[in-house]
């Protein structure tokens, strides 16, 4: 494996936890704001912006892996028909990217729609709904342990990985 592949895969693996944590943090803040009927303020905007930036960075890393660096997608694209019959290849060439791009699209569309509400307290509900749907897509698309296409919860640098 190339050094770039391992580095990007490591970043992609670890950033997922940041994305999930930021999503939960934003969701909890939106739920609290909605419940308290609070105006959507500067801190809420910054929190949502940070979450969207993390998701976009994760998408960029995933696209680099998908289109350029991953040996899995290279093998799958070599014979796409056969890859669709293999659960692991199908997951990484079709199901994972579809779930993640769906989550990113929902987040962006929902964020734009919520932004139109300004400081209105109902913006919290719109943001909560958006984040919930986006996180659901992301959670569906993660290769969790126990699944046929499972990956480690935490990829380790090659020098620290078990032999």
């Amino acid at each position: 494996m190339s050094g770039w592949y391992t580095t990007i895969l490591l970043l992609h693996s670890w950033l997922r936890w940041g994305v999930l944590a930021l999503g939960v943090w934003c969701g909890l803040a939106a739920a609290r704001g909605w419940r308290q009927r609070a105006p959507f303020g500067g801190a809420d905007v910054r929190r949502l912006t940070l979450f969207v930036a993390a998701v976009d960075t994760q998408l960029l890393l995933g696209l680099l892996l998908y289109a350029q660096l991953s040996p899995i997608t290279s093998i799958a694209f070599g014979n796409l028909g056969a890859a669709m019959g293999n659960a692991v290849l199908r997951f990484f060439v079709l199901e994972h990217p579809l779930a993640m791009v769906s989550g990113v699209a929902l987040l962006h569309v929902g964020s734009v729609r919520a932004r139109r509400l300004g400081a209105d307290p109902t913006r919290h509900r719109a943001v909560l709904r958006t984040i919930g749907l986006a996180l659901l897509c992301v959670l569906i698309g993660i290769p969790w342990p126990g699944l046929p296409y499972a990956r480690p919860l935490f990829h380790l640098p090659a020098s620290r990985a078990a032999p």
Side-chain angles (χ1 to χ4, degrees):
M1 284 191 253
S2 79
W4 279 111
Y5 170 69
T6 343
T7 302
I8 300 298
L9 181 62
L10 187 70
L11 289 170
H12 189 65
S13 171
W14 282 77
L15 182 57
R16 106 179 99 178
W17 299 110
V19 165
L20 291 173
L22 283 168
V24 168
W25 181 43
C26 284
L28 290 173
R32 185 182 65 245
W34 179 38
R35 192 177 61 248
Q36 295 174 353
R37 310 231 9 100
F40 200 90
D44 299 306
V45 171
R46 286 187 295 277
R47 194 174 16 255
L48 182 58
T49 301
L50 182 62
F51 177 50
V52 170
V55 167
D56 288 346
T57 303
Q58 183 72 338
L59 175 65
L60 176 62
L61 294 173
L63 288 173
L64 277 170
L65 290 167
Y66 185 79
Q68 193 69 29
L69 300 173
S70 174
I72 295 171
T73 54
S74 294
I75 290 167
F77 288 134
N79 186 346
L80 205 49
M84 292 300 113
N86 178 302
V88 174
L89 293 177
R90 184 180 59 246
F91 176 78
F92 285 105
V93 97
L94 177 66
E95 296 163 11
H96 177 71
L98 181 62
M100 298 307 174
V101 168
S102 297
V104 171
L106 284 168
L107 180 62
H108 278 277
V109 170
S111 295
V112 169
R113 293 183 73 206
R115 191 175 306 130
R116 292 185 183 141
L117 296 171
D120 189 315
T122 58
R123 184 173 178 188
H124 289 291
R125 184 181 67 197
V127 167
L128 179 59
R129 185 180 309 128
T130 293
I131 289 171
L133 290 172
L135 283 178
L136 179 63
C137 288
V138 167
L139 289 170
I140 288 170
I142 291 176
W144 296 106
L147 298 173
Y149 39 79
R151 292 295 180 261
L153 291 176
F154 296 96
H155 278 278
L156 298 175
S159 62
R160 296 197 43 191

